[in-house]
Amino acid sequence: MKEVKQRSTCPVSTSLDVLGDKWTLLIIRDLVFGGKSTYGQFLQSAEKIATNILADRLALLETHGMVTKVVASDKKSKFIYHLTEKGIDTVPILVALLLWGTRHGSTAIDPGLLNELQTEPDAAIARYQRLAREKTQVPFP
Amino acid sequence: MKEVKQRSTCPVSTSLDVLGDKWTLLIIRDLVFGGKSTYGQFLQSAEKIATNILADRLALLETHGMVTKVVASDKKSKFIYHLTEKGIDTVPILVALLLWGTRHGSTAIDPGLLNELQTEPDAAIARYQRLAREKTQVPFP
DNA sequence: TTTTTTACTTGCAATTTGCAAGTAATTCAC
DNA sequence: GTGAATTACTTGCAAATTGCAAGTAAAAAA
């Protein structure tokens, strides 16, 4: 597995050491906003990530403690990915990227979600973080 | 020059099409927080960007309308880079990355700046955006 | 028992990155 | 005025990464 080298002690730089590529944050987007949590679901997203890249990024996210991987309760051949607190803590980054993208690109997004994020960003961030947190709760522990 | 292909209409994805690499946002960081504005100054940053990558990213940033390049008033052989409004609008992304980095990595940063960003993030963002905007004002137009 | 689902792995060509060295127009020092 | 810096890149090339297509393997479904 590719090791992550820290280029400097600048916090922007160290964040980009982990998140600075075209795919990692899209997987987290799918987990937070897409209601997705399995390898097969991530593959179906509009950006068409290659299977080897997806496997690599999921392994990296796990290595970095951003996601956990558990066997699905209904099928032994299925794995469910959930965000850890470290992963959930990237939601403000996702939202900042989303808002910049809507202001400076040709994009399409659910108007309700956009309105919520534009008018009450902090509340919306907290809500999506809470939702992500709830998903990690096991139904019958 | 490398063209940027839009992978989908998702605003997170379109933002990452432009900003999703390890160097672009570091150049903007230098412009916003580092008081830097020339090729030579960007080269001196702690992360040691390669000269060809820097030239490539600066050209891309210019192509995307995020920075402008003007001849320095004192030297014809020197160029000054300034952020456009589109570039200044990435400051919330930078701040989100900075805060995540401080929470989940071994980083070092000026305690005054960190405190300002942690306690009054919105005011701090507005302040750095205003500072960046002022830099684009020509002394004697 | 055969087929399908699910999650990957492998091989390989193409692209991107990173390092080192080279170029070219100014500007500085004397 | 001339030779040495400065400033901003460009070029060549090896190494690493990406992306595509095909293959594998365990479990589940038919």
Side-chain angles (χ1 to χ4, degrees):
Chain A
M1 173 62 57
K2 146 180 81 175
E3 92 286 3
V4 171
K5 63 159 174 256
Q6 185 166 323
R7 292 172 295 172
S8 78
T9 59
C10 164
V12 177
S13 171
T14 59
S15 292
L16 291 174
D17 288 340
V18 176
L19 304 172
D21 78 285
K22 299 217 183 296
W23 295 110
T24 302
L25 284 166
L26 287 187
I27 296 171
I28 301 180
R29 171 206 63 181
D30 284 350
L31 285 161
V32 174
F33 296 107
K36 301 183 180 178
S37 56
T38 67
Y39 185 92
Q41 289 177 321
F42 300 137
L43 279 185
Q44 288 162 26
S45 290
E47 294 83 11
K48 297 295 165 204
I49 189 171
T51 57
N52 55 341
I53 306 290
L54 176 57
D56 178 78
R57 294 304 188 278
L58 285 172
L60 269 176
L61 283 170
E62 222 188 330
T63 298
H64 290 137
M66 322 249 317
V67 303
T68 54
K69 178 186 182 181
V70 294
V71 178
S73 51
D74 57 333
K75 279 188 188 182
K76 261 197 295 189
S77 63
K78 202 160 100 182
F79 296 99
I80 310 288
Y81 291 90
H82 283 306
L83 288 168
T84 63
E85 278 300 316
K86 185 176 178 180
I88 290 171
D89 204 21
T90 63
V91 173
I93 300 171
L94 280 181
V95 170
L97 287 167
L98 186 152
L99 291 174
W100 189 82
T102 60
R103 285 193 294 267
H104 305 283
S106 57
T107 65
I109 185 180
D110 172 58
L113 172 58
L114 179 57
N115 186 64
E116 181 188 12
L117 289 171
Q118 283 177 331
T119 57
E120 295 283 6
D122 292 351
I125 288 169
R127 192 165 78 83
Y128 279 98
Q129 288 182 322
R130 182 161 36 77
L131 286 170
R133 217 166 270 128
E134 282 167 4
K135 283 183 192 153
T136 69
Q137 309 297 333
V138 183
F140 303 106
Chain B
M1 173 61 57
K2 146 180 82 174
E3 92 287 0
V4 170
K5 64 159 176 257
Q6 185 165 326
R7 293 171 294 172
S8 78
T9 58
C10 164
V12 178
S13 171
T14 59
S15 293
L16 291 173
D17 288 339
V18 176
L19 303 172
D21 77 286
K22 299 217 182 295
W23 296 110
T24 302
L25 284 166
L26 287 187
I27 297 171
I28 302 179
R29 172 206 63 181
D30 284 351
L31 285 162
V32 174
F33 296 108
K36 301 183 180 178
S37 56
T38 68
Y39 185 91
Q41 290 178 321
F42 299 138
L43 278 185
Q44 288 162 27
S45 289
E47 294 83 11
K48 297 295 165 203
I49 187 170
T51 57
N52 55 343
I53 306 289
L54 175 57
D56 179 76
R57 294 304 189 277
L58 284 172
L60 269 176
L61 283 170
E62 222 187 330
T63 298
H64 290 137
M66 321 249 315
V67 303
T68 54
K69 179 186 182 180
V70 295
V71 178
S73 51
D74 57 333
K75 281 187 187 181
K76 262 198 294 188
S77 64
K78 203 161 98 182
F79 296 100
I80 310 287
Y81 291 92
H82 282 306
L83 288 169
T84 63
E85 278 301 315
K86 185 176 177 180
I88 290 171
D89 204 22
T90 63
V91 173
I93 300 171
L94 280 181
V95 170
L97 286 168
L98 186 152
L99 291 174
W100 189 82
T102 60
R103 284 193 295 266
H104 305 283
S106 56
T107 66
I109 185 179
D110 172 59
L113 171 59
L114 179 57
N115 185 66
E116 182 189 10
L117 288 170
Q118 283 177 332
T119 57
E120 295 283 7
D122 292 351
I125 287 168
R127 191 164 80 82
Y128 279 98
Q129 288 182 321
R130 182 162 36 77
L131 287 170
R133 219 166 269 128
E134 282 166 5
K135 284 183 192 151
T136 68
Q137 308 299 333
V138 182
F140 302 106

